[in-house]
Amino acid sequence: MLYTKLAKPYFFRMDAEKAHHMVIDGLHSASRVPGIPAMMRAMYGVSESKELAVDLFGLHFPHPIGLAAGLDKNAKAVDMFANIGFGFAEVGTVTPVGQAGNELPRLFRLPSDEALINRMGFNNDGAAVMAERLANYKIRPIPIAVNIGKNKTTPNELAHEDYRACLQALYTYGDFFVVNISSPNTPDLRALQHGDELKLLLSTVMDEMTAQAKKSGRARKPVLVKIAPDMTDEQLAYTVDTIVASGVNGIIATNTTISRDGLGHPNAKETGGLSGKPVKERSTEVIRAVYRQTGGSLPIIGSGGIFTAADAYDKIRAGASLVEIYTGLIYKGPEMLRELADGLKDCLRMDGYQSIQEAVGADHRS
């Protein structure tokens, strides 16, 4: 209860973005203090168990609960994510050149809706700085994904070159990569989810992934595409077809939403991407639709509104092989990871499954 009783009230009195930076900088500093990482592991760590371990994309995940992109945009606190209980973590979104992002304030809490709205605008230090940080991270108890995007000033017709540049700088250092074409906070970025622009972007990404793999002399690393929850059924079907045809390894469903349905908090008027409980049902619907369309052949990472083990399990039964949290972590703290892991084990027992992998897509078989 340390987070709920002490840390959260302190952070929630502070500006949301200041609190965000304080957490990441605090984790970064704590990782360098002898004894602190071990103490965090004892307090929050999640032990590996055979029921929850997942082997996917040629990588081993000690359990299926990861950190979504956006919390650690610059790979500052990577050392600590396994210590506080994550099974994997996604850093970024990173762009080729560092950029300041949108004007402040740009991050808003909606406590009564258990949600956040952000219009950060891919603020980050750039690919070269992230590469330097990840190069220093030698021991990797969990897989680290690098989420890549385009600079705000890059026109859409040249966007593919920005994604290529990110891969050239970071390929060596990520365990897998995520192509972000679904943030609502970079002008026209979501247009890259459709039509010829998506085909060009993904063929460029795959060519570069293959070139980098050849250079390294190893098998190509996995790459996924992160999609928005706000597409029509027709748009979603077309986008998924294009993603499947490109040969990428999976989909992350979903990013934040621009919908404001059912919100009660005054901050609902702010523009930006909404995350947290209000996006939970829609992201699960998208997972279900993607799984159905692909016959379960394309792995899905489910993200959006996970606060409880039941929320995570719903996404897994709908078709997600792994899940990610972000807003739930802000509201519930790192003790949430152990609670989710223990709760998922209970869900498996109730359904008579021996492992989490048996539950993936179960809704489609019942």
Side-chain angles (χ1 to χ4, degrees):
M1 300 303 283
L2 190 64
Y3 180 82
T4 318
K5 296 281 186 243
L6 295 173
K8 184 181 168 185
Y10 173 70
F11 288 137
F12 272 52
R13 278 196 297 273
M14 198 184 287
D15 169 76
E17 189 170 347
K18 277 190 182 145
H20 175 119
H21 290 307
M22 186 177 274
V23 167
I24 290 299
D25 292 344
L27 286 170
H28 169 73
S29 303
S31 68
R32 279 147 186 74
V33 179
I36 295 282
M39 186 180 86
M40 297 295 267
R41 264 195 312 279
M43 284 171 69
Y44 300 118
V46 175
S47 306
E48 178 160 350
S49 63
K50 64 180 190 312
E51 307 103 291
L52 295 186
V54 177
D55 290 300
L56 192 65
F57 311 128
L59 298 167
H60 180 71
F61 299 82
H63 63 76
I65 308 147
L67 175 68
L71 187 72
D72 192 359
K73 289 174 178 292
N74 296 302
K76 277 186 168 181
V78 173
D79 307 38
M80 288 299 278
F81 293 134
N83 294 328
I84 61 170
F86 282 103
F88 67 100
E90 202 181 324
V91 296
T93 299
V94 63
T95 54
V97 180
Q99 57 183 27
N102 295 325
E103 285 180 22
L104 301 172
R106 55 194 181 181
L107 181 61
F108 307 90
R109 301 184 193 98
L110 292 73
S112 56
D113 299 307
E114 293 186 280
L116 297 172
I117 289 175
N118 92 81
R119 51 171 181 265
M120 306 296 276
F122 288 174
N123 55 308
N124 74 101
D125 296 337
V129 173
M130 182 181 280
E132 201 178 308
R133 289 203 179 113
L134 288 174
N136 293 325
Y137 180 55
K138 301 286 187 257
I139 300 162
R140 298 208 171 182
I142 57 172
I144 299 299
V146 177
N147 183 302
I148 58 175
K150 79 170 188 78
N151 280 111
K152 186 176 183 176
T153 54
T154 303
N156 270 12
E157 57 269 24
L158 296 176
H160 58 284
E161 293 300 342
D162 273 16
Y163 290 87
R164 187 198 298 278
C166 285
L167 290 172
Q168 288 171 340
L170 288 155
Y171 185 87
T172 309
Y173 309 109
D175 294 310
F176 64 107
F177 292 85
V178 179
V179 175
N180 188 350
I181 49 171
S182 52
S183 167
N185 302 316
T186 293
D188 298 326
L189 184 76
R190 286 187 167 189
L192 294 173
Q193 294 182 118
H194 313 298
D196 292 339
E197 286 182 320
L198 181 59
K199 284 179 187 161
L200 173 62
L201 172 60
L202 295 183
S203 69
T204 304
V205 164
M206 294 306 283
D207 287 350
E208 192 55 46
M209 293 293 287
T210 302
Q212 292 294 329
K214 204 170 174 185
K215 202 154 70 169
S216 72
R218 294 183 185 166
R220 179 178 61 76
K221 291 181 178 181
V223 59
L224 290 82
V225 179
K226 187 168 193 176
I227 61 174
D230 302 316
M231 289 186 265
T232 64
D233 292 348
E234 195 176 53
Q235 287 171 331
L236 177 62
Y238 182 77
T239 296
V240 171
D241 274 347
T242 308
I243 290 170
V244 170
S246 74
V248 305
N249 301 86
I251 284 178
I252 299 187
T254 63
N255 212 317
T256 56
T257 183
I258 52 174
S259 165
R260 295 293 184 267
D261 291 349
L263 298 180
H265 195 276
N267 280 342
K269 68 183 189 302
E270 299 292 345
T271 57
L274 174 75
S275 62
K277 279 217 174 140
V279 80
K280 178 180 77 173
E281 297 303 332
R282 177 58 186 160
S283 72
T284 306
E285 277 172 22
V286 173
I287 292 163
R288 190 168 280 115
V290 172
Y291 189 92
R292 193 184 305 120
Q293 185 176 337
T294 60
S297 62
L298 194 70
I300 302 163
I301 298 180
S303 182
I306 294 172
F307 278 68
T308 66
D311 298 339
Y313 196 57
D314 284 347
K315 284 178 167 41
I316 290 163
R317 285 188 59 106
S321 295
L322 302 166
V323 294
E324 291 181 336
I325 61 169
Y326 177 150
T327 306
L329 184 73
I330 305 301
Y331 280 93
K332 295 184 76 175
E335 48 259 50
M336 173 185 189
L337 275 302
R338 207 176 273 175
E339 188 186 298
L340 289 178
D342 290 344
L344 282 176
K345 287 181 197 170
D346 291 340
C347 292
L348 291 176
R349 274 193 290 274
M350 282 172 68
D351 281 351
Y353 295 129
Q354 301 298 306
S355 79
I356 198 80
Q357 282 160 297
E358 290 176 44
V360 174
D363 286 350
H364 302 266
R365 301 187 291 273
S366 53

